[in-house]
Amino acid sequence: CCPRPRHDPASCRETQAEVCALYDSGGCSTLGIETVPDAPAVLEHSCSMESLITDEGYHRCYELCDKASCCGLQEGSARRCEENQGDSSLNKCTPYKTNCPNMRDVQVPPPPEDLVQKCNLDNVATLDGFEECQERCRLVPGCMLPHNDIGSYLERNPDSCAAYRDACAVLGGADSFEEYLLAFLCTEENVRTHKGYAQCKEGCNRRDCCYLPDWHPDSCLSGGKCQLFADACSVLDDPDSSLTMTASSQQQEGSASDFGLQQQQGAPLPSNFASPGELAPAPVALFETCSEARISTPEGYDNCLEA
């Protein structure tokens, strides 16, 4: 996992930096000498300051430069492709070493005034709030990288980056709300508290597009996120995760009366806590209206949904 680029989910270069450094400087260098791809014609434009001030431009430049990351490592590292491959690699590294350092020269603007507000725990626990925080944090992707990364903004922007790093840490590195649900909101530990259960339940209710058939214009089944969503929200159906009022949870979450519950240690939540309200009697023709044959058409699907 050490040779993989930092943006690769399977990489451990950042989380196990000290271990990877030992591999870099140790005997593993003989197992594979890195090659440097020829610099593409778009490298100069992609890594220009005009391009780097956009989220798309920054990531395009980073992706190109990361393929030649061995050109910019510290002196003496076994992964320095110039040393490992001789003069031919030195020539290949030149355009990368000319253009890629531009990422470090980006001037980070002061964080927006509402950054802390948008990136507080309660706000990011909702889909809209998560996306609001993520939108602001994506303005400065280089602030989230360590000093020695070629795309890091930290050297020239220590104060601005510190403000972003502190606020954006609440996202926990999740790239999507589904990942955030799975990693933080819908854990068994979190849903054992009333607040945590409500947060997980609300988050799961916001992805109703996963229940729509593929042909429906609002369906998100083909996006690949619904499996993460299903994995996260399955904890709500787990009988082992049913909530009970314990003395410790009362102390942490407030008195039971705040939730309209009995103030008795071990008293279970009422059955309608997750789904308050009364269901209307089902229409007599519901089974026919929602038959598999009927909902296979857009009109039939809408009729079933309305019923």
Side-chain angles (χ1 to χ4, degrees), residues 50-199:
E50 292 78 9
S51 175
L52 288 171
I53 61 175
T54 67
D55 181 61
E56 180 182 0
Y58 174 88
H59 284 93
R60 187 188 306 116
C61 175
Y62 189 95
E63 182 178 357
L64 294 174
C65 294
D66 196 58
K67 295 177 181 179
S69 58
C70 62
C71 291
L73 295 185
Q74 296 178 350
E75 293 287 340
S77 169
R79 292 182 67 238
R80 279 185 63 85
C81 43
E82 294 177 12
E83 294 177 359
N84 289 338
Q85 297 178 12
D87 292 340
S88 63
S89 181
L90 176 63
N91 295 332
K92 287 186 176 182
C93 279
T94 299
Y96 290 104
K97 299 183 78 169
T98 300
N99 295 285
C100 295
N102 288 343
M103 286 188 285
R104 291 181 172 271
D105 294 332
V106 171
Q107 294 297 315
V108 176
E113 295 181 358
D114 62 352
L115 178 64
V116 175
Q117 174 190 354
K118 297 299 184 183
C119 292
N120 68 61
L121 278 171
D122 289 335
N123 194 51
V124 299
T126 67
L127 174 61
D128 293 339
F130 179 90
E131 292 178 345
E132 288 173 346
C133 176
Q134 187 181 55
E135 180 182 0
R136 286 155 179 78
C137 294
R138 280 179 170 172
L139 296 173
V140 287
C143 282
M144 311 306 163
L145 299 175
H147 272 282
N148 61 347
D149 194 287
I150 193 171
S152 176
Y153 295 163
L154 291 177
E155 184 174 350
R156 291 186 176 273
N157 305 273
D159 295 335
S160 295
C161 279
Y164 276 103
R165 288 170 72 93
D166 290 344
C168 298
V170 70
L171 297 176
D175 291 328
S176 67
F177 187 62
E178 287 77 12
E179 290 184 14
Y180 191 75
L181 276 176
L182 185 61
F184 299 102
L185 296 185
C186 292
T187 62
E188 289 190 10
E189 180 180 0
N190 194 47
V191 300
R192 289 185 184 278
T193 67
H194 302 302
K195 182 177 181 180
Y197 183 92
Q199 288 175 335

Side-chain angles (χ1 to χ4, degrees), residues 254-265:
S255 66
S257 60
D258 293 338
F259 303 94
L261 306 176
Q262 299 174 358
Q263 297 188 39
Q264 175 184 354
Q265 182 174 349

